[in-house]
């Protein structure tokens, strides 16, 4: 797009860093939202988000042109939506979880490492409300179909 708008190849390569910067910045916003859900004080949230934003890895990732920042954003979003689903387990709340884990795996396969933690949260909720087994099976099927469909489009 940048070259179509008149930028040379070197400038276009630099412009692509804006996406990585956006992903890292959005990850910091999600970090704050996760801390809000955990009911962490404002000062502690500021310290956590400040550390997340100024650690060397975050700074380097914001200028990198690769898939790491997108995968990090999608894993953070998966954590946030898992917390949201845990508080109110409904199909509309489980769909973003599956989209985030599927998208994370599409961007980088190491995103699958967060899946066992999400599965444990889902199984704990199922155990706590085992009388509503059928309702959770439906939700888990929706989650599985979406995540598997996205994962099946990944070329290994």
């Amino acid at each position: 797009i940048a070259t179509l708008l008149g930028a040379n190849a070197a400038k276009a390569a630099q412009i692509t860093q804006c996406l990585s910067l956006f992903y890292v910045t959005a990850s910091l916003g999600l970090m704050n939202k996760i801390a809000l859900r955990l009911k962490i004080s404002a000062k502690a949230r500021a310290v956590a988000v400040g550390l997340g934003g100024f650690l060397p890895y975050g700074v380097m990732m914001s200028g990198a042109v690769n898939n790491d920042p997108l995968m990090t954003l999608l894993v953070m979003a998966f954590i946030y939506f898992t917390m949201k689903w845990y508080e109110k387990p409904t199909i509309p709340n489980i769909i973003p979880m599956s989209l985030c884990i599927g998208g994370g795996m599409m961007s980088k396969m190491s995103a699958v490492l967060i899946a066992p933690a999400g599965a444990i949260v889902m199984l704990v909720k199922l155990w706590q409300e085992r009388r509503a087994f059928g309702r959770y099976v439906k939700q888990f099927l929706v989650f599985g179909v979406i995540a598997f469909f996205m994962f099946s489009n990944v070329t290994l």
Side-chain angles (χ1 to χ4, degrees), residues 4-27:
L4 291 175
L5 295 174
N8 61 24
K11 188 68 173 173
Q14 285 183 338
I15 291 171
T16 59
Q17 292 175 326
C18 292
L19 278 175
S20 296
L21 178 62
F22 169 76
Y23 297 148
V24 170
T25 305
S27 294

Side-chain angles (χ1 to χ4, degrees), residues 109 151 154-156:
M109 281 304 298
F151 178 73
V154 175
T155 55
L156 299 176

Side-chain angles (χ1 to χ4, degrees), residues 89-118:
T90 61
I91 288 179
N93 282 342
I94 206 166
I95 290 173
M97 284 174 58
S98 60
L99 292 172
C100 289
I101 194 71
M105 289 185 299
M106 286 177 72
S107 66
K108 190 170 183 178
M109 281 304 298
S110 60
V112 78
L113 295 174
I114 195 69

Side-chain angles (χ1 to χ4, degrees), residues 13-28 50-73:
Q14 285 183 338
I15 291 171
T16 59
Q17 292 175 326
C18 292
L19 278 175
S20 296
L21 178 62
F22 169 76
Y23 297 148
V24 170
T25 305
S27 294
L28 294 174
L51 281 174
F54 292 107
L55 283 175
Y57 183 71
V59 173
M60 289 186 311
M61 216 172 33
S62 66
V65 182
N66 61 22
N67 51 358
D68 290 338
L70 178 59
M71 190 265 316
T72 303
L73 173 64

